[in-house]
Amino acid sequence: METINILANYIDTSVEDRSLQDARELLGHLDACMSSHSKIRTAACRLGFGHLRKHVITFSTFYMSHGRYREAEEGLRAVLEHDAQEYGLKHAHTFQTTGRLADAL
């Protein structure tokens, strides 16, 4: 969980100063983090849900900015599932997530 927080915070900072090599390394760390989380997640701790919602949006946006649309789609679908359950289909968060998902498709 801590790794997810650190990685999301790092992605959110110094975006313009990042070299292509740094972005590639970061994508590798992100892939490892997502893979590890999928092996240990629980019903109470799922990417896209609760406090992990905003991190998954950050990860998905980063994936999209590097042409990794499949990974972005997976994350955004999880966020959309959360938003629909938590806020309902007509809430602003649900609409925003739907728009992000459309961008990934």
Side-chain angles (χ1 to χ4, degrees):
M1 194 70 75
E2 188 64 26
T3 305
I4 292 171
N5 289 325
I6 292 168
L7 193 54
N9 288 331
Y10 183 74
I11 289 171
D12 281 339
T13 60
S14 66
V15 174
E16 296 177 18
D17 298 335
R18 194 172 293 133
S19 69
L20 181 57
Q21 181 62 31
D22 288 344
R24 287 182 180 166
E25 289 177 16
L26 192 51
L27 283 166
H29 291 302
L30 184 53
D31 290 341
C33 183
M34 299 296 277
S35 176
S36 294
H37 181 78
S38 69
K39 294 175 185 172
I40 62 168
R41 74 176 179 219
T42 64
C45 178
R46 292 175 49 199
L47 284 177
F49 284 70
H51 69 282
L52 295 177
R53 178 188 182 277
K54 72 175 190 150
H55 296 329
V56 174
I57 292 170
T58 297
F59 296 162
S60 295
T61 301
F62 187 73
Y63 273 136
M64 280 193 293
S65 70
H66 290 87
R68 305 271 302 270
Y69 297 102
R70 183 180 54 81
E71 291 88 345
E73 177 187 352
E74 290 174 16
L76 291 170
R77 285 190 185 278
V79 174
L80 184 59
E81 179 184 348
H82 166 268
D83 289 355
Q85 289 176 8
E86 184 74 17
Y87 307 115
L89 296 176
K90 295 184 178 183
H91 191 275
H93 287 321
T94 308
F95 288 132
Q96 290 169 342
T97 303
T98 301
R100 286 184 180 109
L101 180 57
D103 290 342
L105 300 174

